[in-house]
């Protein structure tokens, strides 16, 4: 299942990681990847942003056409789905004391990429939040991205901007402070193996400020917010990625498993499945807690790993043009060999059916 432990090498989504150096095999230099990552994002997002509307995007995104890999999983806006939108906010490490601005002119854009070219992935940070524990919330206590459900007649981009301000107090509408530089794949929301009637949009913002504004966390929604160096999810991801990072009890095939005695299922771990995850909390920067009570109850050591929908959105960012491997593959890992075979057969037929439809 995409996992190889021999010689301290981990295989992630078809790419081989070296567990000691944490670098992708046969890849370009670390510093050049930052520029390539953002250029690929801007180029592949242009028409996607145009297709879905919403005006808070940077003017440099107007002309290019998206790659097939970026738009292949788009959700059709005409479908009657509830919608949710999140923001992936990138910044330069504050210790570098750089405010890198992406302007409207071609000259300004070139200057932006020239400055980015001097950075490594460890110099760029991504904002995450830890959600509050709430009864009935399937994402209770999870690590996530600022965002939430769209209001009636609200665009996806406006929802991401509004929810970010409500949850962490960052005003993405501040034109001289933040620029929307990309939109990632829209996707249907899955809760473990069940697909929900909800779509999920993710927008990437670049912080142009040298220093991040003070955060104001929303009580009852966000316990903490923190920044993570991007190299934890790219060049050094192998050191923190675990194919069985999160384990749940779940019945994958109810009709088949109903014919198997419960004691045998438990003994053979047929009801145990795992999900890939990345342990990022121990390396968090500038952690903002809601209050001292939350800080005492949920120190960083108790934070869960990054997994599920948020890991998929993050993988959409770092894997553009296959620059880095995805971290959310395989989607699930059944513990039982019998269930792994069933799931492989099921996945094959689903993939085959999808190709026929397409």
């Amino acid at each position: 299942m995409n996992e190889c432990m021999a010689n301290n090498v981990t295989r992630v989504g078809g790419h081989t990681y070296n567990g000691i150096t944490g670098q992708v095999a046969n890849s370009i230099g670390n510093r050049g990847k930052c520029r390539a990552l953002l250029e690929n994002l801007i180029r592949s997002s242009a028409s996607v942003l145009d297709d879905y509307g919403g005006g808070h995007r940077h003017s440099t995104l107007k002309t290019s056409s998206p790659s097939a890999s970026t738009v292949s999983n788009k959700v059709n806006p005409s479908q009657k789905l509830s919608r949710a939108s999140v923001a992936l906010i990138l910044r330069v490490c504050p210790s570098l004391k750089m405010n890198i601005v992406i302007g409207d002119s071609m000259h300004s854009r070139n200057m932006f990429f020239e400055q980015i070219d001097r950075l490594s992935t460890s110099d760029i940070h991504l904002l995450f939040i830890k959600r509050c524990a709430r009864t009935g919330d399937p994402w209770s206590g999870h690590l996530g991205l600022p965002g939430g459900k769209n209001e009636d007649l609200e665009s996806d981009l406006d929802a991401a901007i509004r929810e970010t301000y409500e949850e962490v107090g960052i005003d993405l509408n501040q034109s001289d402070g933040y620029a929307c530089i990309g939109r990632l794949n829209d996707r249907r929301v899955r809760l473990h193996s069940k697909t929900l009637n909800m779509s999920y949009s993710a927008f990437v913002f670049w912080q142009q400020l040298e220093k991040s504004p003070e955060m104001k966390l929303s009580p009852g929604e966000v316990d903490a917010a923190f920044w993570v160096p991007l190299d934890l999810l790219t060049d050094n991801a192998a050191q923190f990625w675990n194919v069985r990072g999160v384990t749940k009890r779940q019945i994958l095939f109810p009709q088949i498993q109903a014919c198997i005695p419960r004691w045998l299922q438990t003994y053979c771990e047929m009801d145990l499945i795992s999900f890939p995850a990345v342990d990022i909390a121990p390396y968090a920067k500038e952690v903002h807690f809601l209050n001292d009570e939350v800080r005492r109850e949920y120190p960083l050591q108790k934070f869960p790993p990054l997994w599920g929908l948020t890991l998929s959105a993050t993988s959409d960012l770092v894997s553009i043009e296959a620059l880095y491997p995805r971290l959310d593959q395989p989607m699930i890992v059944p513990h039982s060999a019998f269930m792994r075979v069933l799931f492989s057969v099921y996945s094959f037929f689903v993939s085959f059916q999808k190709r026929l439809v397409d």
Side-chain angles (χ1 to χ4, degrees):
M1 299 292 291
N2 285 338
E3 185 183 23
C4 175
M5 300 305 296
N7 300 321
N8 198 30
V9 171
T10 306
R11 182 167 291 277
V12 185
H15 294 248
T16 300
Y17 269 123
N18 184 299
I20 298 175
T21 64
Q23 293 186 350
V24 183
N26 301 320
S27 61
I28 61 177
N30 177 282
R31 291 186 180 275
K33 291 179 191 173
C34 287
R35 174 170 183 161
L37 183 66
L38 294 182
E39 281 187 323
N40 290 341
L41 170 67
I42 290 175
R43 181 176 63 253
S44 62
S45 297
S47 294
V48 179
L49 285 166
D50 285 335
D51 289 345
Y52 286 94
H56 299 83
R57 63 178 174 82
H58 199 271
S59 60
T60 56
L61 301 177
K62 288 180 180 177
T63 58
S64 306
S65 59
S67 66
S69 61
T70 302
V71 300
S72 60
N73 294 323
K74 288 195 306 182
V75 174
N76 187 340
S78 65
Q79 292 180 352
K80 299 300 182 182
L81 304 172
S82 60
R83 303 186 67 82
S85 303
V86 298
L88 291 86
I89 305 174
L90 299 172
R91 72 168 188 184
V92 177
C93 176
S95 63
L96 297 180
K97 297 182 178 180
M98 300 173 66
N99 58 322
I100 303 180
V101 177
I102 178 167
D104 293 336
S105 67
M106 184 61 69
H107 174 72
S108 177
R109 180 181 180 182
N110 291 338
M111 288 290 293
F112 171 80
F113 286 121
E114 286 176 11
Q115 290 177 289
I116 294 296
D117 216 9
R118 301 200 297 266
L119 302 177
S120 67
T121 50
S122 61
D123 295 327
I124 295 180
H125 294 174
L126 177 60
L127 181 67
F128 291 97
I129 61 174
K130 179 192 174 296
R131 298 202 170 276
C132 293
R134 296 191 294 185
T135 303
D137 182 356
W139 297 280
S140 172
H142 289 195
L143 299 189
L145 298 161
K149 291 184 178 180
N150 297 24
E151 294 181 347
D152 292 341
L153 303 179
E154 184 178 40
S155 73
D156 296 332
L157 183 55
D158 287 336
I161 292 171
R162 174 186 54 78
E163 283 283 347
T164 298
Y165 184 73
E166 291 176 0
E167 290 190 339
V168 296
I170 293 179
D171 185 6
L172 298 175
N173 261 328
Q174 185 181 350
S175 59
D176 59 342
Y178 297 90
C180 181
I181 60 171
R183 180 175 188 152
L184 305 176
N185 288 354
D186 283 23
R187 57 177 65 245
R188 288 289 291 272
V189 176
R190 295 180 60 87
L191 184 58
H192 307 323
S193 64
K194 181 181 179 182
T195 302
L196 305 182
N197 192 37
M198 176 183 289
S199 71
Y200 179 92
S201 302
F203 296 88
V204 183
F205 290 83
W206 178 260
Q207 178 179 296
Q208 303 180 114
L209 305 170
E210 179 180 317
K211 184 178 179 181
S212 300
E214 182 179 353
M215 295 192 202
K216 299 176 182 178
L217 307 187
S218 173
E221 291 189 290
V222 180
D223 275 341
F226 56 94
W227 299 89
V228 169
L230 200 59
D231 68 310
L232 269 67
L233 302 163
T234 53
D235 296 278
N236 295 316
Q239 300 178 37
F240 315 106
W241 182 84
N242 186 348
V243 71
R244 293 190 176 187
V246 173
T247 298
K248 303 281 185 181
R249 288 196 177 275
Q250 183 176 323
I251 302 297
L252 281 178
F253 302 100
Q255 293 180 334
I256 296 176
Q257 290 177 252
C259 303
I260 303 174
R262 185 65 184 171
W263 66 267
L264 182 58
Q265 292 191 51
T266 302
Y267 179 77
C268 296
E269 297 186 333
M270 292 184 183
D271 58 348
L272 281 182
I273 61 174
S274 290
F275 303 85
V278 183
D279 191 18
I280 61 173
Y283 310 94
K285 309 292 184 183
E286 294 184 24
V287 183
H288 301 263
F289 287 93
L290 178 64
N291 51 46
D292 290 337
E293 182 181 351
V294 170
R295 186 192 304 269
R296 289 190 296 268
E297 187 175 358
Y298 298 106
L300 283 176
Q301 296 85 343
K302 290 187 178 181
F303 277 26
L306 180 66
W307 71 290
L309 189 60
T310 304
L311 183 59
S312 292
T314 306
S315 293
D316 285 344
L317 171 63
V318 302
S319 66
I320 292 176
E321 304 291 344
L323 187 60
Y324 290 98
R326 298 192 65 87
L327 300 171
D328 59 345
Q329 300 295 328
M331 184 175 67
I332 66 172
V333 183
H335 286 212
S336 161
F338 174 66
M339 298 306 295
R340 286 200 293 272
V341 171
L342 280 182
F343 186 73
S344 296
V345 173
Y346 167 79
S347 299
F348 171 79
F349 280 107
V350 169
S351 177
F352 181 72
Q353 185 181 33
K354 185 177 184 299
R355 285 198 296 269
L356 289 179
V357 173
D358 293 344

